Amino acid sequence: MAGRRGILCAAVILALASGAPALAQSDAVNVYTYREPGLIQPLLDRFTEETGIRTNVLFAADGLIERVAAEGELSPADVIVTVDIGNLANAKELGITQAIAGETLARVPDQYHDPDGQWVALSLRARVFYASVDRVTETALTYEDIAGPEWKGRLCTRSGLHAYNIGLIATRIAHWGVEQTRDWLTGVRDNLNHAPTGADRDQVKAIFDGSCDLAIGNTYYMGLMLTNDAEPEQKEWAASARIIYPDADGDGTQVNLSGAVVAKYAPNKANADKLVAFLLSDEAQHLYASGNYEFPVVESVEPSELVASWGVLTADTTPMVEIAAHRKEAAALVDETRFDEGPQD
């Protein structure tokens, strides 16, 4: 987080402390991001090459949206790039966003941007099943299926309270309502091999180790593992599993997103608009697809060759704002069912 990438630090503190206008620079745009620098920096570098506009980047794993709210009118943030619909909805609820240009929003399907234009998706990630190559014969499954008795002791996943699983549960509430989703979540809990633990890559390792046969995870982790030359053991984990897109012939596979907002008090508003528009250009969408193994949100752009080899994604079309509206109910169900304690019968 240092050096030529221009990460905001002392300059931000000085601007806030002095009460001076926050980093208004005609040749720069200030980006607060939850996305790891390694994932987003190639896109920002390309943006600078094309426009001459420098990008000052502040990365943090959490707390950036709350930070912008606390900074108020003195915030140096121009654009906030984040993962998960919950973060985008939270930014809007806190009143730290402003409308994105209509021509930019028009690049993506309606369900992938805020009806009021306060946020827009940049890429999609699907919540799928990792299936053991050796021990799972099924080629098509639904989310409902994994609560069935045939999967007793064969499932694994990360915490139900993680944003990725909350999004999945919230989508089931949108389709089924709270009561049916509670029953389903209870069945999934009791089919787990062990209490939820680790992250999505750990679930693939559990398949490799034989601890479980089917796991819930995001597609792009499979791409990251299959191409991980620095940790070749992850290639072995990934080779032990294949991807099944749940509900491919029904409601469609649940997707979440990465997205962006233009900050309410952006000191470099024109540059912020240019950056968001660039991130939704065909060029940037191809970079997302090839570098991060995510799905482009612009429909005319194809996924990478590796992602395409896993099959065709039929995405659930439930509007993201509806999924966001059910997140509190989803978290309450995780607590009520004691999902993170694992099997209870």
Side-chain angles (χ1 to χ4, degrees), residues 242-261:
R242 57 186 169 83
I243 285 177
I244 296 176
Y245 289 112
D247 280 297
D249 296 323
D251 294 329
T253 301
Q254 189 260 335
V255 294
N256 210 320
L257 48 81
S258 71
V261 305

Side-chain angles (χ1 to χ4, degrees), residues 127-129 139-146 168 171-172 175-176 180 184 244-255 312-317:
R127 199 77 178 143
V128 299
F129 298 148
T139 58
L141 289 168
T142 68
Y143 292 111
E144 190 171 12
D145 287 337
I146 62 173
L168 172 58
T171 305
R172 299 334 303 162
H175 285 292
W176 297 336
Q180 184 177 343
W184 170 78
I244 296 176
Y245 289 112
D247 280 297
D249 296 323
D251 294 329
T253 301
Q254 189 260 335
V255 294
V312 176
L313 170 67
T314 301
D316 190 315
T317 58

Side-chain angles (χ1 to χ4, degrees), residues 259-271:
V261 305
V262 175
K264 182 176 182 179
Y265 299 109
N268 306 292
K269 171 67 163 53
N271 292 346

Side-chain angles (χ1 to χ4, degrees), residues 201 204 221-222 224-228 231-240:
R201 297 186 207 217
V204 181
Y221 286 111
M222 187 66 79
L224 294 173
M225 288 186 291
L226 286 169
T227 58
N228 191 343
E231 299 174 88
E233 67 274 14
Q234 290 194 10
K235 293 184 178 183
E236 295 185 59
W237 305 349
S240 73

Side-chain angles (χ1 to χ4, degrees), residues 256-336:
N256 210 320
L257 48 81
S258 71
V261 305
V262 175
K264 182 176 182 179
Y265 299 109
N268 306 292
K269 171 67 163 53
N271 292 346
D273 289 338
K274 290 177 183 178
L275 176 58
V276 176
F278 171 79
L279 293 174
L280 287 171
S281 67
D282 283 4
E283 178 184 7
Q285 289 287 296
H286 279 297
L287 288 172
Y288 264 121
S290 61
N292 299 343
Y293 306 105
E294 295 177 303
F295 293 93
V297 73
V298 174
E299 293 182 310
S300 60
V301 180
E302 297 293 328
S304 72
E305 184 176 344
L306 176 58
V307 173
S309 73
W310 304 331
V312 176
L313 170 67
T314 301
D316 190 315
T317 58
T318 304
M320 286 291 166
V321 290
E322 184 175 351
I323 295 172
H326 290 298
R327 289 177 60 80
K328 289 184 179 178
E329 293 170 297
L333 285 184
V334 173
D335 289 339
E336 179 185 337

Side-chain angles (χ1 to χ4, degrees), residues 9 16 57 86 107 130 169 191 194 208 222 232 268 270 274 306:
C9 184
L16 295 176
V57 183
R107 293 278 293 163
Y130 303 142
I169 298 164
N191 281 345
H194 50 262
F208 174 79
M222 187 66 79
N268 306 292
K274 290 177 183 178
L306 176 58

Side-chain angles (χ1 to χ4, degrees), residues 121-169:
L122 299 176
S123 63
L124 303 175
R125 59 272 302 275
R127 199 77 178 143
V128 299
F129 298 148
Y130 303 142
S132 169
V133 170
D134 297 326
R135 301 183 300 277
V136 174
T137 58
E138 289 85 351
T139 58
L141 289 168
T142 68
Y143 292 111
E144 190 171 12
D145 287 337
I146 62 173
E150 64 271 27
W151 296 104
K152 182 74 174 176
R154 301 176 66 193
L155 297 181
C156 57
T157 188
R158 71 195 306 163
S159 168
L161 290 173
H162 190 277
Y164 299 157
N165 279 339
I166 289 294
L168 172 58
I169 298 164

